[in-house]
Amino acid sequence: MSVETERSSTESSAASGLDFEDTALTLRLPGSDPDRKRASTSDPDCPSPTAAAADSPPSPKAQVVGWPPVRAFRKNALAASASARTKFVKVAVDGAPYLRKVDLAAFAGYTTTSAAAYDQLLAALQDKFISHFTVRKLGNEEMKLVDAVSGTEYVPTYEDKDGDWMLVGDVPWRMFVETCQRIRLMKSSEAVNLAPRAAR
Amino acid sequence: MGRAGGPAAPPWHSLPDEVWEHAFSFLPADADRGAAACACHGWLRAERRSRRRLVVPNCYATDPRDAVDRFPSVRAAEVKGKPHFADFGLLPPSWGAYAAPWVAAAADGWPLLEELSFKRMFVTDECLEMIASSFRNFQVLRLNSCEGFTTAGLAAITEGCRNLKELDLQENYIDDCSSHWLSNFPECYTSLEALNFSCLHGEVNFTVLERLVSRCRNLKTLKLNNAIPLDNVASLLRKAPQIIELGTGKFSADYHPDLFAKVEAAFAGCTSLRRLSGTWDAVPDYLPAFYCVCEGLTSLNLSYATVQGPELIKFISRCKNLLQLWVMDLIEDHGLSVVASSCSKLQELRVFPSDPFGHNGGQVFLTERGLVDVSASCPKLESVLYFCSRMTNEALVMIAKNRPNFTCFRLALLEPRSPDYITRQPLDAGFSAIVESCKGLRRLSMSGLLTDLVFKSIGAHADRLEMLSLAFAGDSDLGLNDILSGCKSLKKLEIRDCPFGDKALLANAAKLETMRSLWMNSCSLTVGGCRLLALKMPHLTVEIINDPGETCPVESLPFDSPVEKLYVYRTLAGPRSDTPDCVQIV
């Protein structure tokens, strides 16, 4: 009990700093990855951060024990609710024998801002079904999953809260995460009857 | 004291003690009673025999048996243990503050004890068992930020205290032994008025809870833990519509119109509800279910609700009679400006950080503007705790001008040593304005870039200041000297990571005996300095605290060895004997 108090103040910082690595399903406890940076003890001579840091997005900084002065109880509650913010949905692929699950909350959006225009969600789906697909980028920026062997195209679709099957990519990302109940990678040939895609 | 010889003593000298005891019962503060007790032996006798309520803010300031001997008629006792900075992980877990000697002394000398409160102390199951078996009229148990006990101890309380009215467990670390503490309330037991188990992590038997709530018609306060789903919260409210204070369980669920209607109807029945808390992981979908109680709410604690956006603001804006509001910084400046215009009676505001360590990287749009708005528009605002990422002197000056009635002002800038973000200057001018304007200021926590200048102002102006918290501030011993030589009412001083050394402490050693305690860590203290202080002031206990595992005896260290953590407090009891290896009393 008393050990928990001390542990919480130094480790919860790592635990609350959940990023993609932490939400990946492994058998490790969250925050116990030995490779990650840990909270350092306070250094009284540490110079104050430069002025430039004030307005730019905060980068992960070396942590000072006990600052900001947030009680351990609150820190633990924040960490617990951060880890609760997941949204795992089932992913079914036409023709595959079993389903997978993907955590939508772990992604920032459909695409990254990098020049490669790499679709995060679809890339993750590619990861899961690695024996099946490659991601083919078509001329009009649309992303399709293509089975490397048979050449079949798959279109990502999802079931929303009303039970309707929609094409992935139409609504803003946050709304998509809110409303998506499950994902189905539908064979392109069957996808023609879905709601028309809004003009990009 | 009767005078030898001379004219006959005035007639009131012969009044019986009961008259004095009755007179003293009108004195509002313990300090007044203490002052009366110093007047003469007669008054001392009458006062101490009639004292019913005793607060011991530092459990090591006196031996528990002496306290019980001096005040034999106490019915309600409150004892506090660890220093405040223990909350932030700065104290080794084995430091002390054991409740056992207090419980033992109370069991011996206060058989009629009705209320017991412990804060930041180590309470064991044996303590709880002793409480349950020693006081036949025990009614109120409050444990705040304690640890060391399990649900088995709670089971002893619920089983043994037949007249229990209040069981308040706030932010304790409790081991769940799956003991059926809730079921141990006998079926015939109906006197519960307040129950708070929000800090328990495990499941409780809901049927048992429901039956308990149903039969305790005087239940006014109910604070659930987050293992209780929304559906069950609604059911409980149906059974206890007379509730005044509610801490909800988990307030998130997938949206279902049926559940929403159930929750809404349940709240509609609670016409006496004034205080609301809990709301773990609240989702916006269900906030409108609260709308019917908003008008009546005086206290709202949404500080664990990670909800943001328009729903949150809409909800708070309906709470026109709020006196106390605790929220996360997800409310942002815009939300606080709505609070400013809606909650004109607001007295206390606390804004907590949703991302204190910058892990989520997301920008939260809470700045100094939010605080400026609320200070400008809420005339009764007197207590503030505000976590934000930036501040300016101009904002602080404006706040000080608008709200000279602050009694408690705590500002925590997330980055240590943050300057005024526009002028890049230290925040001396801003905080000086606060202490100069707010003549009734009793508690102050400062942060940001601060030089010795600000301490000059504080020492000179903060006459009513009782508690001061400093972090990463100041340039030299002059700063600490200004504080200790001024601040007439200072009781508690806690300092971390400031370049203060022995000189200021030794020069103001006598001041320390007028204070309750001093905490310093990561400053520039030396073993030699601390030893000198201890020699100079025999009524102070001077504790040097190392990290657990480091037990190098202080005697063998050279004079100028650095001291990482220091805790100094006045005591009548001499040095304590329950120190762990990492604590040394010089």
Side-chain angles (χ1 to χ4, degrees):
Chain A
M1 310 144 287
S2 51
V3 176
E4 235 177 88
T5 319
E6 198 193 32
R7 200 196 299 153
S8 67
S9 63
T10 51
E11 284 197 10
S12 65
S13 48
S16 63
L18 291 178
D19 56 22
F20 178 51
E21 289 154 337
D22 280 323
T23 54
L25 296 176
T26 67
L27 288 179
R28 289 196 305 270
L29 291 171
S32 65
D33 185 339
D35 294 328
R36 286 185 43 141
K37 270 222 186 106
R38 294 303 212 86
S40 58
T41 52
S42 75
D43 176 3
D45 298 323
C46 170
S48 56
T50 60
D55 293 325
S56 56
S59 49
K61 41 194 186 288
Q63 249 176 273
V64 172
V65 173
W67 194 267
V70 176
R71 302 182 74 188
F73 194 86
R74 180 171 294 279
K75 267 199 277 199
N76 293 343
L78 279 178
S81 70
S83 65
R85 253 181 261 129
T86 56
K87 177 138 189 191
F88 280 94
V89 295
K90 292 181 188 170
V91 182
V93 179
D94 287 355
Y98 52 84
L99 279 62
R100 297 298 298 268
K101 269 206 162 170
V102 82
D103 177 15
L104 297 179
F107 301 106
Y110 295 112
T111 57
T112 63
T113 52
S114 74
Y118 191 76
D119 188 315
Q120 284 190 308
L121 176 58
L122 290 189
L125 291 176
Q126 179 195 0
D127 271 348
K128 306 264 179 182
F129 296 93
I130 199 108
S131 58
H132 265 242
F133 301 132
T134 59
V135 179
R136 182 188 295 169
K137 178 170 175 286
L138 304 179
N140 60 351
E141 305 283 343
E142 277 187 356
M143 303 290 265
K144 289 240 170 73
L145 291 162
V146 182
D147 185 273
V149 173
S150 64
T152 330
E153 278 185 354
Y154 291 83
V155 165
T157 65
Y158 71 100
E159 182 184 12
D160 71 0
K161 280 189 173 162
D162 299 326
D164 297 318
W165 286 93
M166 317 285 292
L167 215 54
V168 167
D170 285 338
V171 299
W173 174 253
R174 281 251 170 90
M175 195 184 293
F176 168 68
V177 174
E178 275 294 318
T179 55
C180 174
Q181 301 300 301
R182 64 179 72 221
I183 293 178
R184 177 179 158 204
L185 299 184
M186 209 184 252
K187 286 201 177 129
S188 222
S189 48
E190 289 181 35
V192 286
N193 294 326
L194 288 176
R197 193 184 275 270
R200 289 243 175 141
Chain B
M1 281 189 221
R3 291 197 191 92
W12 46 262
H13 261 210
S14 59
L15 288 174
D17 277 357
E18 290 78 23
V19 177
W20 294 120
E21 290 173 18
H22 183 67
F24 295 148
S25 68
F26 291 98
L27 291 172
D30 284 349
D32 297 328
R33 292 185 70 113
C38 293
C40 62
H41 280 304
W43 282 20
L44 171 63
R45 192 178 58 236
E47 195 283 309
R48 59 175 274 264
R49 288 230 192 103
S50 60
R51 181 85 76 105
R52 287 278 186 272
R53 196 162 274 278
L54 183 66
V55 178
V56 184
N58 176 5
C59 64
Y60 289 119
T62 173
D63 189 295
R65 287 164 300 184
D66 292 339
V68 170
D69 279 341
R70 163 136 182 178
F71 301 107
S73 310
V74 162
R75 297 282 185 273
E78 178 182 346
V79 185
K80 300 185 191 174
K82 302 182 191 178
H84 175 231
F85 273 8
D87 286 349
F88 315 126
L90 291 171
L91 206 66
S94 53
W95 179 79
Y98 301 104
W102 286 92
V103 175
D108 233 2
W110 292 332
L112 298 177
L113 190 69
E114 296 170 357
E115 294 183 24
L116 200 47
S117 306
F118 288 121
K119 183 168 183 179
R120 287 194 202 98
M121 293 188 72
F122 195 86
V123 179
T124 60
D125 284 346
E126 287 74 33
C127 292
L128 296 177
E129 285 157 20
M130 193 179 264
I131 292 172
S133 56
S134 308
F135 310 110
R136 57 184 157 83
N137 196 26
F138 196 72
Q139 297 174 15
V140 173
L141 179 65
R142 292 194 195 103
L143 301 174
N144 183 345
S145 307
C146 297
E147 59 183 349
F149 60 104
T150 76
T151 46
L154 293 180
I157 294 286
T158 55
E159 188 183 11
C161 301
R162 294 302 154 114
N163 295 324
L164 196 69
K165 285 201 183 129
E166 181 173 335
L167 179 59
D168 185 355
L169 306 169
Q170 188 179 328
E171 297 193 2
N172 303 289
Y173 291 91
I174 307 177
D175 270 352
D176 206 316
C177 293
S178 299
S179 180
H180 302 292
W181 62 277
L182 202 54
S183 321
N184 274 8
F185 280 119
E187 278 300 319
C188 58
Y189 167 78
T190 57
S191 49
L192 194 65
E193 291 178 14
L195 178 63
N196 173 8
F197 60 95
S198 53
C199 59
L200 271 178
H201 291 298
E203 306 260 337
V204 296
N205 184 328
F206 183 69
T207 322
V208 168
L209 178 61
E210 211 175 15
R211 276 212 305 269
L212 179 67
V213 167
S214 303
R215 66 179 187 270
C216 297
R217 306 313 312 162
N218 286 328
L219 190 67
K220 299 287 190 305
T221 295
L222 181 62
K223 290 167 132 180
L224 310 169
N225 69 353
N226 67 351
I228 300 206
L230 198 48
D231 197 5
N232 288 353
V233 175
S235 306
L236 284 174
L237 285 178
R238 281 270 174 69
K239 303 274 187 333
Q242 76 281 3
I243 212 123
I244 293 180
E245 177 165 14
L246 174 71
T248 68
K250 207 160 181 54
F251 213 74
S252 71
D254 290 333
Y255 181 79
H256 272 292
D258 290 343
L259 180 53
F260 182 92
K262 182 177 179 188
V263 173
E264 198 182 28
F267 274 104
C270 299
T271 51
S272 305
L273 190 62
R274 296 287 170 267
R275 306 170 63 90
L276 187 61
S277 60
T279 62
W280 309 90
D281 298 329
V283 291
D285 295 330
Y286 283 98
L287 284 182
F290 282 135
Y291 281 178
C292 44
V293 296
C294 285
E295 197 78 26
L297 286 183
T298 55
S299 167
L300 183 58
N301 180 354
L302 292 174
S303 64
Y304 290 100
T306 50
V307 62
Q308 53 193 110
E311 280 303 330
L312 170 64
I313 298 175
K314 234 195 291 182
F315 173 66
I316 295 182
S317 67
R318 285 166 167 252
C319 302
K320 308 238 180 281
N321 290 308
L322 272 190
L323 301 177
Q324 184 185 61
L325 175 63
W326 294 18
V327 280
M328 293 257 231
D329 57 6
L330 301 168
I331 193 174
E332 301 188 334
D333 285 340
H334 167 60
L336 282 180
S337 72
V338 172
V339 169
S341 52
S342 315
C343 308
S344 57
K345 300 186 186 171
L346 198 67
Q347 294 174 4
E348 178 183 325
L349 174 69
R350 294 195 195 187
V351 182
F352 294 94
S354 57
D355 183 20
F357 309 106
H359 289 294
N360 297 344
Q363 301 273 36
V364 167
F365 291 103
L366 182 85
T367 69
E368 75 280 8
R369 261 212 50 223
L371 186 55
V372 171
D373 282 344
V374 178
S375 311
S377 308
C378 299
K380 296 265 171 52
L381 188 69
E382 58 178 37
S383 174
V384 166
L385 168 62
Y386 202 76
F387 283 82
C388 68
S389 53
R390 65 181 212 196
M391 186 52 60
T392 62
N393 282 310
E394 186 185 351
L396 285 172
V397 168
M398 223 182 322
I399 290 167
K401 191 153 138 288
N402 282 323
R403 287 280 68 77
N405 49 324
F406 274 144
T407 54
C408 169
F409 187 77
R410 294 191 281 166
L411 178 66
L413 295 172
L414 297 180
E415 195 63 45
R417 300 193 189 90
S418 308
D420 178 319
Y421 78 95
I422 294 182
T423 65
R424 316 310 306 172
Q425 291 300 303
L427 292 173
D428 296 338
F431 278 105
S432 298
I434 295 275
V435 293
E436 283 162 32
S437 166
C438 306
K439 310 245 184 281
L441 195 67
R442 290 201 294 271
R443 184 168 179 183
L444 178 65
S445 297
M446 305 200 297
S447 57
L449 185 63
L450 294 162
T451 71
D452 282 346
L453 284 175
V454 73
F455 298 117
K456 255 194 164 48
S457 302
I458 296 180
H461 290 106
D463 286 341
R464 300 261 184 88
L465 193 67
E466 295 176 3
M467 183 168 175
L468 179 61
S469 307
L470 307 174
F472 308 99
D475 308 313
S476 72
D477 267 358
L478 288 176
L480 182 57
N481 190 52
D482 282 331
I483 301 276
L484 291 177
S485 54
C487 295
K488 303 193 193 117
S489 311
L490 195 63
K491 287 202 186 122
K492 286 203 291 192
L493 181 57
E494 45 188 27
I495 302 174
R496 62 163 298 168
D497 294 280
C498 299
F500 299 147
D502 309 320
K503 262 201 306 207
L505 276 192
L506 290 169
N508 295 283
K511 169 81 170 183
L512 296 179
E513 211 176 85
T514 68
M515 291 164 50
R516 187 180 305 157
S517 66
L518 166 71
W519 168 278
M520 290 175 72
N521 74 277
S522 311
C523 300
S524 310
L525 301 167
T526 67
V527 165
C530 295
R531 274 210 216 108
L532 277 176
L533 179 65
L535 276 173
K536 219 174 166 186
M537 307 296 304
H539 287 300
L540 293 181
T541 292
V542 178
E543 293 192 10
I544 293 180
I545 302 168
N546 295 312
D547 289 328
E550 289 177 35
T551 59
C552 186
V554 154
E555 295 78 45
S556 64
L557 289 171
F559 199 88
D560 56 0
S561 248
V563 164
E564 176 58 24
K565 295 177 186 169
L566 173 74
Y567 187 45
V568 178
Y569 52 90
R570 66 180 174 193
T571 178
L572 299 169
R576 61 184 176 115
S577 51
D578 58 2
T579 51
D581 286 339
C582 56
V583 173
Q584 301 189 63
I585 296 179
V586 293

